[in-house]
Each structure stands twice: as structure tokens, then as C-alpha cells.
Amino acid sequence: MSINLIQKFSTNKISIKNKKYCAILGENPSKTARSPFLWNLVLSKNNIKSEMISIDLKRKNLNKILNILEKDPDFQGGSITIPHKEKVFDYLFKKKRVDKITRNIGAINCIYKKNKRLFGTNTDGEAALRVFEKKFGSIKNKKCLVLGYGGVGKAVTAFFNNKLNTKIFVANRSKIKKKKLKHNIIFIKWRDIPKNLIDKDLIINCTSIGFSKDMRSPIKSSDFSYIKKQTIFYDVIYNPRETKFLEIAKKKFYKTKNGLEMNKVQAILAIKKVFGQKLKFSKIASTLKKV
């Protein structure tokens, strides 16, 4: 176990009760992440002697931590959260340890061990799509606008775009590098969002706007007048359960969905990836059914 080495580079206090362990890596997952609760509940209920811990770290120490975890035989895998998803992708992509669909996303939210080496995948996009289609049906012919093209935005865009018959629209607050442009994605400027709302069937917030105590919405209340009444509003944020974005939409009688179930499903997919045959998807889902 490499707890002393991990502690050297983490900004939070690390405590591991079991020999085997998983971890979530981010800037401050010890304060904001829901994954440790979900993972530890599944591991405990299924009598797996392991636990998930939070490792808070700065970007400059990310590669050092990844090297430590790869060499530690007691580390089994885990999650990556803001703001390290794209950096972890870069780290594992250079080593050719990223699965095919994740290569097109450019961000990783799940790491796992195979042949004693770290590999990466992304469960955010698949989870978002599963949850949406479960509630609202197929997205096949819908016109979609994604707000935000960070780690989650890239994953959601990739999976939703794979099911659409039309090109997907993406707005990002910062400039998209030309090398990242895709021929089946139409990138629009953030200031041009209002004039791109008119014909959209689905608007997905993948930014951090509205997270926690942030009372802003990525779309101004006045701009909702451009949006048709059949449009569905989907926010990947789960804290709070009703962001300002969804609050405004609900008051105007639009259909809405928050990110709580998506967060649970991405965790189920990630746990399944890490523990393989030890845990079936249905068993993990059953354990987390009431949370």
C-alpha cells in the first residue's frame, strides 16, 4: 500500500481501512463527490473487502499520483473528476491504454487495472444517454444543443451524436482548438446561443454553471422565449437537484431532468469496469436502487 507516498502529493488527509482500495481523483472530491458514497455502499453490501477514498490533488501532481497508483498492487481502480479528466486522458492516451470510443471523447472518468497496468475509459456519456432515453425515449430525430465542451460535455456529445440523424450543436465558453473540431459537430460561439435555441428539441447543460451554490443559469430567463414548448432540458449537475437552469425551465412548463440518476449510472458502469465478473450491472443497480 502506498498511503505515505499518496499523502505526500494529496492536499487532503488520506485514510485507508482495507488493504485493497479504489480512489476518486480531483481537485476537491473529498468535499463534493458522490462517488465514494456510491462505491462504498456497493462494496460493503456485496462483501467486497475494498473501499473508495478521495484524493484531492493539484494538476502538477497528477502524473505522480497515477504512477504511484499503477505500481501499487492494492489499488484496483476508480474515478476521475473535475478538473483532471482531460489530463488523465492525455497521460493514458500516450501509453495507448484508452478504449476506442473514449479516444474520440478526449476525457476519462474511470481508471481500472488490466495486466497490472492502468487503463482508462469514460462512462459519463453512456450514462447520460441511458438515463435520457429511459425517461424520454429515443433521441434519434432530435435536434440537440450541448452547453459546455469540457470532460463531461465531450462524453455526452460523443454518445448523443452517435444516435442522432442530424449534426449536434455545441456551445463552449472558451475557444475550441481547431485540432479538436469534428465534422459532425457544429460549434457555435457562446454569445450566439440565443439565436440557436429556436428549433432545438433538447438542451443539455454540461457546464459547471449552477453547481452547488451557484445560482446562475447558462441560458438567461429572457432567452427562454426563443425556445419551443416541446423542448426538453437536461442538466448533468446533481447538486443541487434543481439548478437555476432547470428551475426556470420548470416554471415555464418544460420537461426537465437533473443529473442525479446519470451520476448513479456512470458509477455503476465504472464499478462494473473495475470489478469485472465479481459484480454484475444488475446487482450493482439493485444495491443503489434507493439512493
Side-chain angles (χ1 to χ4, degrees):
M1 189 180 293
S2 304
I3 186 169
N4 291 330
L5 282 173
I6 295 170
Q7 189 65 76
K8 184 179 178 181
F9 298 108
S10 64
T11 58
N12 65 312
K13 179 67 176 177
I14 304 297
S15 177
I16 302 175
K17 298 177 183 178
N18 292 284
K19 183 181 180 182
K20 299 290 184 181
Y21 69 100
C22 301
I24 179 168
L25 312 182
E27 194 169 62
N28 59 352
S30 63
K31 297 177 183 178
T32 60
R34 189 166 176 252
S35 290
F37 166 72
L38 298 176
W39 282 61
N40 288 325
L41 181 60
V42 170
L43 297 175
S44 174
K45 294 291 185 181
N46 290 280
N47 298 313
I48 294 178
K49 294 183 179 180
S50 181
E51 64 183 300
M52 173 175 265
I53 64 168
S54 296
I55 301 177
D56 299 356
L57 70 154
K58 295 180 180 178
R59 190 167 296 181
K60 66 179 182 180
N61 293 323
L62 181 60
N63 287 6
K64 295 170 186 175
I65 288 287
L66 291 172
N67 287 331
I68 292 168
L69 296 176
E70 181 167 65
K71 293 174 183 177
D72 189 348
D74 294 322
F75 176 71
Q76 296 169 296
S79 296
I80 309 297
T81 188
I82 296 171
H84 301 319
K85 294 183 180 185
E86 290 161 295
K87 288 295 181 182
V88 174
F89 172 86
D90 293 339
Y91 173 89
L92 292 174
F93 183 77
K94 290 177 183 177
K95 297 175 182 291
K96 298 181 179 179
R97 297 195 221 143
V98 180
D99 59 47
K100 188 175 181 180
I101 192 165
T102 304
R103 285 178 221 150
N104 295 324
I105 294 171
I108 282 171
N109 78 321
C110 171
I111 52 176
Y112 59 98
K113 285 278 188 75
K114 186 169 72 172
N115 299 325
K116 299 181 180 179
R117 292 184 175 184
L118 279 183
F119 283 77
T121 188
N122 194 303
T123 63
D124 282 329
E126 182 179 352
L129 183 60
R130 280 192 185 213
V131 169
F132 181 87
E133 292 195 323
K134 179 182 175 183
K135 181 168 184 178
F136 299 111
S138 174
I139 67 164
K140 191 174 181 180
N141 296 307
K142 295 189 182 297
K143 292 182 179 179
C144 179
L145 170 61
V146 174
L147 307 176
Y149 201 59
V152 177
K154 288 174 182 174
V156 170
T157 298
F159 274 85
F160 275 69
N161 200 27
N162 194 46
K163 295 286 288 286
L164 293 169
N165 283 335
T166 58
K167 291 183 178 181
I168 194 166
F169 286 73
V170 176
N172 197 53
R173 286 177 286 178
S174 58
K175 189 176 180 180
I176 302 292
K177 293 180 181 179
K178 289 185 178 180
K179 67 177 183 178
K180 294 183 178 180
L181 296 180
K182 309 287 185 180
H183 71 278
N184 52 349
I185 300 174
I186 299 175
F187 289 93
I188 63 172
K189 293 179 180 179
W190 191 259
R191 66 171 180 266
D192 291 335
I193 288 175
K195 62 185 180 183
N196 281 277
L197 296 173
I198 298 172
D199 62 342
K200 298 302 179 290
D201 302 298
L202 169 61
I203 301 173
I204 309 173
N205 178 38
C206 293
T207 73
S208 59
I209 299 173
F211 177 71
S212 189
K213 296 179 181 180
D214 185 347
M215 296 305 293
R216 297 174 299 158
S217 168
I219 297 178
K220 295 178 182 178
S221 180
S222 58
D223 290 337
F224 274 72
S225 60
Y226 296 108
I227 306 169
K228 60 185 181 181
K229 289 301 179 183
Q230 296 79 17
T231 300
I232 300 169
F233 288 78
Y234 191 8
D235 200 326
V236 302
I237 292 173
Y238 61 87
N239 175 26
R241 296 192 180 191
E242 186 172 282
T243 58
K244 191 67 176 180
F245 175 69
L246 296 184
E247 179 188 319
I248 296 171
K250 190 175 287 186
K251 284 181 179 179
K252 295 181 181 294
F253 304 103
Y254 290 101
K255 292 179 180 179
T256 64
K257 182 68 179 175
N258 66 23
L260 192 64
E261 190 176 357
M262 172 197 159
N263 177 260
K264 181 164 54 175
V265 174
Q266 67 79 21
I268 294 171
L269 293 168
I271 293 168
K272 179 71 179 70
K273 192 70 178 179
V274 171
F275 290 95
Q277 298 302 315
K278 290 183 181 180
L279 286 170
K280 293 182 179 180
F281 183 95
S282 58
K283 195 168 187 179
I284 303 171
S286 178
T287 303
L288 298 178
K289 187 176 182 179
K290 294 183 179 181
V291 300

